[in-house]
Amino acid sequence: MRTPIIAGNWKMNNTISQSLQLVEEIKSYDLNERVEVVLCVPFTNLQEVKKSIEGTSIKLGAQNMHWEESGAYTGEISPLMLKELGVTYVIIGHSERRQYFNETDETVNKKIKAALNHELKPIVCVGETLEEREANIEKDIVRKQVLKAFDDIEGKEIKDIVIAYEPIWAIGTGKTASSEDANDMIGFIRKIIGEKYGEEEKNIIRIQYGGSVKPSSIKELMEKSEIDGALVGGASLKAEDFHKLINY
Ligand code: 13P
């Protein structure tokens, strides 16, 4: 019932020419039509990647955006700009943005609202640090992140929002959360959505896992009842690995 969604987050990798080569390689494999496939590429590559995926079922994603439509915000990119480029998804509140670029729960909430107002689908990232997990407060942290992110967001929007649970200690470290731990936290996030909105929204919302997902770990993760997909960094940068991920 929930369509699985596997998204590559290229982060700050690939020039335009490198992007086009990677997309060509990805297209040379059969796509899995049962899975929604998204490529979240650097801003500079959106236009060319959009042309290159034309005629395929691959969707285009951005990795961040500002919440205002325009204005004196040097270096920022607005939802209007993304919309005109043919972007479907936008990652909001990735832990790297929270950690290095002062992204807060408040800005995450503003960006989600702006994305929805412009018919962009947010992929909202939440997740705890290693210290928080070791202190056994990971669920408190994630609950707070989810509730603040969804502040003032209506239930009818839930179908267009994806959550990505990315424990920070698992990102780029080679340490994947066990599929049981990932499933447990994602079930917990689903419960929070259920409490806030109701049973229907709880069952509709798609929640991905992210953090060192590899071709060797994807199947076990995707077999879990609560996990609807993956947000993949490193392993999305090689066409062969990405092909294995989307054909788990
Ligand atoms: P890795 O897959 O490289 O650990 O990155 C995960 C991530 O941050 C995706 O957004």
Side-chain angles (χ1 to χ4, degrees), residues 7-11 40 91 94-96 123 125 164 166-176 208-214 230-237 245:
N9 173 11
W10 288 2
K11 309 193 178 181
C40 299
I91 298 173
H94 191 281
S95 62
E96 286 149 16
I123 299 178
C125 299
E166 299 204 311
I168 293 168
W169 48 270
I171 296 178
T173 58
K175 285 187 203 159
T176 320
Q208 301 172 302
Y209 167 77
S212 296
V213 176
K214 299 276 180 303
L231 183 56
V232 187
S236 74
L237 296 171
L245 291 169

Side-chain angles (χ1 to χ4, degrees), residues 9-238:
N9 173 11
W10 288 2
K11 309 193 178 181
M12 195 174 72
N13 292 292
N14 292 326
T15 62
I16 294 178
S17 57
Q18 289 167 335
S19 295
L20 291 180
Q21 194 179 336
L22 178 52
V23 174
E24 282 309 311
E25 288 173 28
I26 290 171
K27 286 195 302 185
S28 72
Y29 292 100
D30 284 339
L31 288 172
N32 178 354
E33 299 297 336
R34 290 180 300 110
V35 173
E36 193 171 7
V37 176
V38 186
L39 294 178
C40 299
V41 310
F43 291 132
T44 47
N45 306 357
L46 287 167
Q47 187 161 15
E48 290 301 317
V49 170
K50 176 68 185 170
K51 284 187 212 155
S52 180
I53 59 177
E54 206 96 331
T56 74
S57 56
I58 300 172
K59 308 258 173 63
L60 188 63
Q63 300 173 11
N64 178 37
M65 62 166 216
H66 197 275
W67 57 87
E68 294 287 352
E69 288 188 349
S70 62
Y73 301 101
T74 303
E76 290 291 319
I77 300 288
S78 86
L80 279 183
M81 296 169 185
L82 296 183
K83 194 65 198 162
E84 201 171 295
L85 282 163
V87 167
T88 304
Y89 285 93
V90 56
I91 298 173
I92 302 288
H94 191 281
S95 62
E96 286 149 16
R97 297 222 48 95
R98 293 180 191 251
Q99 193 178 351
Y100 306 131
F101 303 100
N102 298 324
E103 193 95 75
T104 64
D105 288 331
E106 285 70 31
T107 59
V108 167
N109 176 250
K110 284 186 182 175
K111 290 180 181 193
I112 297 170
K113 286 178 185 158
L116 294 167
N117 282 338
H118 292 86
E119 291 169 351
L120 295 162
K121 298 180 178 185
I123 299 178
V124 182
C125 299
V126 297
E128 80 284 0
T129 63
L130 184 59
E131 296 74 51
E132 288 160 350
R133 180 158 279 257
E134 285 175 344
N136 289 322
I137 55 168
E138 69 273 18
K139 287 198 167 146
D140 299 338
I141 297 295
V142 169
R143 170 191 284 275
K144 180 170 146 281
Q145 289 174 340
V146 171
L147 288 177
K148 291 212 164 175
F150 283 77
D151 192 31
D152 265 343
I153 305 247
E154 292 179 43
K156 66 175 167 40
E157 312 275 22
I158 291 295
K159 63 177 188 337
D160 293 322
I161 305 177
V162 175
I163 300 177
Y165 167 57
E166 299 204 311
I168 293 168
W169 48 270
I171 296 178
T173 58
K175 285 187 203 159
T176 320
S178 72
S179 56
E180 287 77 22
D181 283 348
N183 194 55
D184 178 56
M185 183 62 95
I186 289 177
F188 174 72
I189 295 171
R190 198 178 298 290
K191 190 164 142 263
I192 297 169
I193 296 296
E195 284 164 4
K196 183 172 167 75
Y197 294 101
E199 204 55 23
E200 191 184 335
E201 288 80 359
K202 175 183 165 186
N203 291 324
I204 285 176
I205 189 132
R206 291 186 295 172
I207 313 180
Q208 301 172 302
Y209 167 77
S212 296
V213 176
K214 299 276 180 303
S216 56
S217 55
I218 186 86
K219 187 167 189 295
E220 193 180 328
L221 288 162
M222 294 303 289
E223 277 169 2
K224 292 283 178 228
S225 58
E226 302 288 354
I227 303 180
D228 301 317
L231 183 56
V232 187
S236 74
L237 296 171
K238 280 206 197 119

